[in-house]
Amino acid sequence: MPLLTGIIGALIVLGTFSSVLRTLVIARPTHSSFTRVLHRAVEVPFQFLADRCRTFEAKDHALTPVAAVSILFHLVGWLAAFWVGYALLQAAVSGFGALDALRETGVALFTLGFASSRRVALTGVDFIAAATGPIVIGLQIGYLPTLYSAYSRREIEVTMLQARAGSPPWGPEILARYAQVGLTDNLRELFANWERWAAEVSESHTSYVILSRFRSPRPDRHWIVSLLSVMDAAAMQLALNPGRAPGEARLALRAGFVCLRDIADIWRIAYDPDPSPDTPIRLAYEDFAAAVAHATANGYSIERTPEEAWPQFRGWRVNYEQLAQRFAYLLDVVPAPWSGPRRTLAETVTPVTPVDRKPGVPH
């Protein structure tokens, strides 16, 4: 049935071109079921290995190659799909058997040059296949600098946050450390920087979905935990000190949960776009009160008691807690405080609070 064979081949070729364009060329959020299947095929064995690791450092080491291997696997998958699609087209117009059609197409697609046909119809398919291989490989090569540039910009702020929020980062620790060195007023700059960071991550991680899978250079850091810590610090500032909270805190919060929602749309994760401030959250009041006590013990002054601030804090956190903890679970990141459960580890890794020491005393 040459007609049916040709139609199937054309659909495979067109579908693969669509996947390549959506992944590498179109600079806007798009869905590609083919690349999602390819990534899932890569992720499953690595996650299987990570689930059997007993420490978060070992988990991070096991999951680090996922993004890089996935990029390589996408290229292999696209070329294989083109090979099959063009082979079906060859068979439809030439009457070749399966092996001959695959051989003819493979020679053209990979520009090997050791076999060709003199038929006019086949020559047209050969030319298109021969052009496809270098184009796809060239697009993939050009895609990598853009990808790693966006990754580098993301990680600069994540790395800078380590001195300000501990490792792993935690929202109350940000307030404690800023208060400890008398720089509470400088929180305005921190929130402004992270508002800009959230906007950039929203754009890059929806246009290039694989970026979400790139992990930080150190296992105790991760972009999702860092964003959560800044949002928690902003929510605490607004709830505990409404009279002194900078407007940048509110803007950073909104930019943060918009970023999470944009990425969730690409990942097809459901969420409530307009949750009620009274909706229960996973974080308990006792944990919030203990965090406030930790911040005030380090010099952070408050206008409201924890009991008075809790309803407003909960009203802010309900906008982002579910998605932040969902991403932390799916990406299996370092189990920082307030970031929810993980797949296999029950421990929580808390940042070490710095203690003022005399000069010459090692830290």
Side-chain angles (χ1 to χ4, degrees):
M1 301 176 65
L3 179 60
L4 180 59
T5 301
I7 292 174
I8 294 174
L11 291 175
I12 292 175
V13 169
L14 292 175
T16 309
F17 266 122
S18 175
S19 176
V20 172
L21 291 174
R22 290 170 182 269
T23 305
L24 303 181
V25 180
I26 300 176
R28 63 180 301 176
T30 55
H31 297 279
S32 174
S33 298
F34 185 60
T35 54
R36 186 176 292 108
V37 170
L38 291 176
H39 175 78
R40 187 62 179 164
V42 172
E43 180 188 29
V44 168
F46 283 97
Q47 190 64 64
F48 178 82
L49 177 62
D51 287 344
R52 279 141 188 83
C53 297
R54 297 184 178 181
T55 65
F56 76 90
E57 293 94 346
K59 276 180 171 288
D60 184 82
H61 183 73
L63 293 171
T64 295
V66 170
V69 174
S70 182
I71 291 173
L72 179 61
F73 199 64
H74 286 168
L75 178 60
V76 174
W78 287 326
L79 292 175
F82 278 126
W83 191 1
V84 172
Y86 283 128
L88 291 173
L89 286 172
Q90 291 272 31
V93 300
S94 69
F96 281 178
L99 292 178
D100 288 337
L102 284 170
R103 178 175 179 271
E104 180 85 20
T105 305
V107 168
L109 182 65
F110 300 107
T111 61
L112 300 177
F114 64 79
S116 63
S117 172
R118 295 182 180 179
R119 298 187 182 187
V120 175
L122 280 179
T123 302
V125 176
D126 286 340
F127 271 115
I128 298 173
T132 299
I135 288 174
V136 173
I137 295 172
L139 286 174
Q140 183 80 320
I141 293 173
Y143 166 75
L144 293 178
T146 302
L147 202 66
Y148 283 100
S149 176
Y151 169 78
S152 178
R153 291 194 301 271
R154 185 192 78 186
E155 289 302 311
I156 289 174
E157 287 293 337
V158 172
T159 301
M160 289 177 62
L161 192 64
Q162 180 176 358
R164 309 176 186 201
S167 188
W170 182 38
E173 189 70 17
I174 295 177
L175 303 181
R177 294 196 179 198
Y178 268 76
Q180 198 175 52
V181 294
L183 293 177
T184 305
D185 292 340
N186 288 23
L187 284 168
R188 182 187 303 273
E189 180 184 357
L190 175 73
F191 295 141
N193 289 340
W194 277 81
E195 179 197 1
R196 198 176 304 109
W197 180 95
E200 185 169 320
V201 167
S202 176
E203 188 277 329
S204 61
H205 287 50
T206 53
S207 298
Y208 307 105
V209 183
I210 194 64
L211 268 173
S212 299
R213 301 284 182 175
F214 276 86
R215 307 176 78 86
S216 294
R218 289 174 53 109
D220 54 359
R221 295 200 298 256
H222 196 275
W223 68 269
I224 194 67
V225 173
S226 298
L227 176 59
L228 175 62
S229 69
V230 173
M231 295 172 74
D232 280 335
M236 290 182 69
Q237 179 84 338
L238 289 165
L240 292 166
N241 290 305
R244 302 200 309 270
E248 287 82 356
R250 186 182 299 269
L251 295 176
L253 265 172
R254 293 193 180 277
F257 65 71
V258 167
C259 171
L260 292 176
R261 292 177 180 184
D262 287 345
I263 299 174
D265 289 337
I266 290 294
W267 284 43
R268 298 182 179 178
I269 297 176
Y271 59 88
D272 184 355
D274 188 22
S276 169
D278 298 326
T279 302
I281 61 175
R282 182 170 286 179
L283 182 70
Y285 166 73
E286 292 75 16
D287 294 328
F288 172 74
V292 174
H294 169 68
T296 55
N298 284 276
Y300 181 71
S301 61
I302 58 176
E303 299 173 2
R304 290 175 172 171
T305 64
E307 293 87 352
E308 295 170 335
W310 172 248
Q312 187 175 4
F313 176 80
R314 184 183 62 191
W316 278 112
R317 187 172 166 94
V318 74
N319 289 286
Y320 60 86
E321 182 189 73
Q322 178 189 7
L323 281 180
Q325 293 190 356
R326 180 64 173 159
F327 280 120
Y329 179 89
L330 290 174
L331 297 171
D332 217 353
V333 305
V334 54
W338 294 13
S339 63
R342 297 297 181 269
R343 296 171 60 93
T344 56
L345 294 180
E347 66 171 328
T348 298
V349 182
T350 57
V352 178
T353 302
V355 178
D356 290 333
R357 293 180 172 88
K358 296 179 180 179
V361 179
H363 286 250

